[in-house]
């Protein structure tokens, strides 16, 4: 049986709430036009990238799934969005950092074997990954976001995936390097907003609901990981039909996985204790 909906989840790593609402003119324009809705979402703790990735897809906190830092990398045990969509007969795709393949497909990540794969058994059926190997303060080592958006679009049109995720570290890397109150971040957000806008109408036309959000926030000094609104809070944009909570609702990141499964019409596993918030 086909799934109820098709959905794409776009993760703009490290973009805090205040930066998204000020600088993402295309996304905000669609909100003003009534074509999208936006809420504030709060990350798990620690508000560290890998910890958030695992929680986004499993709906459980780091203290349960065990990914407590960017150095704790292993195949996560809990059910996740990929596994449940695959179990329900849907097709999945990922254009992300290699951590997502490690957590939800197999570990360790083998660069030659796992940089790109198309595997009928899933749970990630079509994966296109990057490692950012060599990343440091002087050299971001991030792929072009335009290339990532195009690759995700290719997966949707070539393989008719039901659920796809795109994850880009550009803004997180820029924040670590320059902070958020600077001309460099202004330009980075302007660029990714325009590049995303070039593809979003195409995804919608092809029948996909789209979520554009982040994994965590960042301070103006470019830090995250701790218990602070600047580090934890980010924007959650939704392009889809139906109803959401009141505009001033603070969303919980642990509710994201069951919400995605609910939109797709996939049963929610017992391990996900959060509640769907889009109907």
């Amino acid at each position: 049986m086909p799934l109820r909906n098709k959905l794409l989840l776009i993760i703009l790593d490290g973009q805090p709430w205040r930066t998204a609402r000020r600088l993402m003119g295309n996304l905000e324009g669609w909100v003003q036009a009534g074509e999208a809705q936006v809420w504030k979402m709060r990350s798990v703790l620690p508000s560290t990238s890998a910890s958030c990735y695992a929680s986004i897809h499993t709906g459980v906190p780091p203290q349960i799934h065990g990914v407590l830092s960017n150095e704790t990398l292993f195949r996560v045990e809990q059910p996740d969005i990929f596994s449940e969509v695959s179990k329900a007969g849907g097709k999945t795709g990922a254009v992300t950092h290699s951590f997502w393949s490690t957590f939800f497909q197999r570990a360790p990540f083998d660069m030659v074997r796992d940089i790109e794969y198309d595997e009928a058994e899933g749970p990630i059926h079509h994966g296109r990954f990057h490692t950012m190997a060599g990343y440091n303060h002087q050299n971001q080592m991030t792929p072009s976001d335009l290339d990532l958006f195009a690759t995700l679009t290719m997966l949707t049109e070539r393989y008719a995936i039901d659920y796809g995720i795109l994850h880009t570290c550009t803004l997180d890397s820029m924040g670590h390097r320059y902070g958020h109150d600077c001309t460099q971040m202004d330009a980075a957000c302007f660029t990714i907003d325009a590049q995303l806008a070039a593809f979003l109408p195409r995804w919608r036309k092809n029948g996909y609901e789209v979520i554009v959000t982040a994994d965590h926030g960042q301070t103006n000094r470019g830090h995250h990981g701790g218990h602070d609104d600047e580090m934890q809070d980010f924007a959650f944009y939704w392009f889809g039909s139906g109803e959401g909570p009141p505009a001033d609702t603070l969303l919980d990141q642990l509710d994201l996985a069951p919400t995605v499964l609910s939109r797709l019409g996939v049963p929610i596993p017992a391990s996900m204790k959060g509640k769907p918030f889009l109907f």
Side-chain angles (χ1 to χ4, degrees), residues 39 47 80 88 115 165 182 229-230 233 244 256 278:
W39 296 270
S47 53
D80 69 278
I115 200 75
I165 181 172
C182 60
D229 291 355
E230 286 192 333
D233 293 353
L256 178 52
L278 299 175

Side-chain angles (χ1 to χ4, degrees), residues 11 13 49-50 53-54 70-71 73 82 93-106 109 111 114-117 124 127-135 140-143 145 148 165-170 172-173 215:
I11 305 289
D13 200 305
S49 292
Y53 304 164
N70 289 340
E71 288 68 50
L73 305 177
F82 291 126
V95 180
T96 67
H97 191 284
S98 60
F99 283 6
W100 295 83
S101 181
T102 300
F103 292 150
F104 306 117
Q105 190 85 342
R106 55 180 163 256
F109 184 82
M111 291 185 65
D114 296 328
I115 200 75
E116 176 179 322
Y117 50 76
I124 302 177
R128 306 291 186 268
F129 301 99
H130 54 273
T131 67
M132 290 175 57
Y135 167 78
Q140 291 193 145
M141 300 301 289
T142 54
D145 295 306
L148 299 182
I165 181 172
L166 182 147
H167 163 247
T168 163
C169 284
T170 296
D172 180 79
S173 300
D215 54 341

Side-chain angles (χ1 to χ4, degrees), residues 43 47 216-219 223-226 228-233:
S43 80
S47 53
H216 53 72
Q218 270 190 352
T219 67
H223 181 68
H224 61 92
D228 180 274
D229 291 355
E230 286 192 333
M231 294 187 236
Q232 289 185 266
D233 293 353

Side-chain angles (χ1 to χ4, degrees), residues 75-238:
R75 178 66 167 87
V76 173
E77 296 179 357
Q78 288 77 18
D80 69 278
I81 296 174
F82 291 126
S83 68
E84 301 314 290
V85 171
S86 180
K87 190 185 303 181
K91 288 192 287 186
T92 65
V95 180
T96 67
H97 191 284
S98 60
F99 283 6
W100 295 83
S101 181
T102 300
F103 292 150
F104 306 117
Q105 190 85 342
R106 55 180 163 256
F109 184 82
D110 182 288
M111 291 185 65
V112 175
R113 178 192 63 191
D114 296 328
I115 200 75
E116 176 179 322
Y117 50 76
D118 299 290
E119 301 185 355
E121 65 273 19
I124 302 177
H125 297 103
H126 305 285
R128 306 291 186 268
F129 301 99
H130 54 273
T131 67
M132 290 175 57
Y135 167 78
N136 57 49
H137 185 71
Q138 286 72 36
N139 194 340
Q140 291 193 145
M141 300 301 289
T142 54
S144 167
D145 295 306
L146 194 65
D147 294 351
L148 299 182
F149 294 137
T151 301
L152 178 66
T153 306
M154 177 273 293
L155 294 184
T156 66
E157 297 182 1
R158 182 178 298 176
Y159 298 109
I161 59 174
D162 299 288
Y163 168 73
I165 181 172
L166 182 147
H167 163 247
T168 163
C169 284
T170 296
L171 299 182
D172 180 79
S173 300
M174 291 291 291
H176 287 310
R177 188 174 186 180
Y178 297 108
H180 282 264
D181 187 15
C182 60
T183 58
Q184 291 90 345
M185 184 57 71
D186 293 347
C189 290
F190 178 84
T191 300
I192 200 169
D193 180 63
Q195 292 178 343
L196 174 60
F199 289 94
L200 210 151
R202 183 167 175 168
W203 299 334
R204 295 289 289 140
K205 183 179 179 181
N206 288 341
Y208 287 90
E209 295 189 356
V210 180
I211 293 169
V212 181
T213 188
D215 54 341
H216 53 72
Q218 270 190 352
T219 67
N220 278 345
R221 295 191 307 204
H223 181 68
H224 61 92
H227 183 31
D228 180 274
D229 291 355
E230 286 192 333
M231 294 187 236
Q232 289 185 266
D233 293 353
F234 50 89
F236 181 96
Y237 296 91
W238 180 46

